[in-house]
Amino acid sequence: MDLSAVVLNDHAPAAFTAAVREVEAAGLRTAWTYDHLSWRDMREGPWFNAVPLLAAAGTATTTVRLGTLVASPNFRHPVTFASEVMTLDHVCGGRFELGVGAGTSAHDAAVLGAPPLTPGQRQRRFEEWATLLTRLLAQRVTDASGEHYTAHDARTVPGPAQPGGVPLTVAAAGPRGMAFAARTASAWVTYGDPSATGPGAVTAGYVEAAERFERTRRAVAPERELRRLALVGRDETGVLERYGEFTERLAAAGFDEVVVHWPRPDGRGVPAASLPEVLRAHGLGG
């Protein structure tokens, strides 16, 4: 399996870029970052926007892929965001990965004054948003009118730098979300079971999610093959302490990529002392 890392947005631009360079030097596939206006217990501290951070990293690296994990409709409009994604793909020379999801009901959902949505409403909005976003990235001129979004003579020129377009990774946990990912995405990403505690239960949560996704894929899009990503929480020290066993279980379940949080000064993420073992488990230096 590939190994990738999340570099959190509380890094100032210079520190963020330095961390992404470390990710590249270690041979990881992708340096991901979250796309929020603020996040969880870090809301009161520094938090920088994902798009300019990734642009800075794109000019300072040459091989590592860069991406959002994940962007959502909570504060992104598909027309303006498509322009930003296209530009990011050119800045990094065709290395951009677009991770998207429906968004939660946390602060990002209310910061622009939008009314609260049920999970079902968020999913329907997301499907319209992601469908229009991918159309905008695939064609030069787009017109669309939907329940949530309108595009009138929207131009995305010259389009992404990657000949096949920007790969789309969809975060999904429920049946409808998984079906949408299976039909439309290049990859699917999961947190596993967020309520699980202990390394055994956490690992089982990823395996069970992968089994549900595979059943869904076979039912709705049996002709399509997707990459499968497992995003490990920044506090999951238990699975990191048994990392070899963890990755063996995930590989057997069909996962193609593990995403961990890059070592942090606050200790939340891969402990620096554990990083060599994590790298060796993926055949990387360390």
Side-chain angles (χ1 to χ4, degrees):
M1 286 186 296
D2 291 321
L3 177 65
S4 295
V6 171
V7 180
L8 285 179
N9 313 46
D10 62 328
H11 290 67
F16 182 88
T17 299
V20 173
R21 284 186 183 136
E22 292 176 357
V23 171
E24 180 176 65
L28 277 65
R29 180 184 187 273
T30 307
W32 299 97
T33 198
Y34 295 150
D35 190 32
H36 297 290
L37 295 176
S38 62
W39 190 62
R40 297 186 182 178
D41 57 328
M42 295 183 173
R43 283 195 60 197
E44 303 305 320
W47 192 262
F48 297 90
N49 190 277
V51 169
L53 285 178
L54 290 169
T59 63
T61 55
T62 57
T63 58
V64 68
R65 298 187 68 80
L66 305 166
T68 53
L69 201 68
V70 293
S72 81
N74 275 346
F75 62 91
R76 296 286 187 194
H77 191 285
V79 171
T80 53
F81 191 45
S83 178
E84 292 171 324
V85 168
M86 177 192 72
T87 304
L88 282 171
D89 199 42
H90 281 267
V91 167
C92 67
R95 291 181 283 130
F96 191 71
E97 299 267 338
L98 177 57
V100 297
T104 69
S105 59
H107 181 71
D108 283 351
V111 68
L112 299 182
L117 300 177
T118 66
Q121 289 171 328
R122 286 199 301 272
Q123 179 62 31
R124 290 191 294 274
R125 181 188 64 171
F126 168 67
E127 291 178 12
E128 181 183 330
W129 179 86
T131 300
L132 178 53
L133 180 60
T134 53
R135 281 184 59 197
L136 287 156
L137 289 167
Q139 57 195 36
R140 294 170 63 91
V141 183
T142 301
D143 287 281
S145 180
E147 179 184 357
H148 299 281
Y149 301 104
T150 297
H152 175 64
D153 195 28
R155 305 294 173 116
T156 315
V157 181
Q162 298 177 72
V166 175
L168 182 71
T169 296
V170 171
R176 179 165 176 164
M178 286 185 172
F180 182 77
R183 290 193 302 265
T184 64
S186 302
W188 162 72
V189 60
T190 180
Y191 258 125
D193 179 0
S195 66
T197 58
V202 169
T203 303
Y206 287 104
V207 172
E208 192 274 335
E211 292 171 347
R212 286 191 291 113
F213 180 75
E214 179 60 14
R215 289 194 296 270
T216 300
R217 185 198 65 82
R218 289 178 179 177
V220 304
E223 75 288 355
R224 303 190 76 241
E225 290 293 337
L226 289 81
R227 289 177 56 82
R228 293 159 170 81
L229 284 66
L231 174 58
V232 180
R234 59 183 170 147
D235 297 312
E236 288 296 350
T237 56
V239 297
L240 294 171
E241 290 169 356
R242 299 164 59 177
Y243 193 72
E245 177 184 338
F246 175 66
T247 53
E248 287 178 6
R249 290 279 307 279
L250 264 60
F255 283 97
D256 303 281
E257 182 174 339
V258 178
V259 186
V260 299
H261 287 72
W262 196 242
R264 296 173 48 81
D266 63 6
R268 306 185 75 178
V270 175
S274 301
L275 183 60
E277 179 184 350
V278 170
L279 294 176
R280 284 194 295 270
H282 294 272
L284 302 173

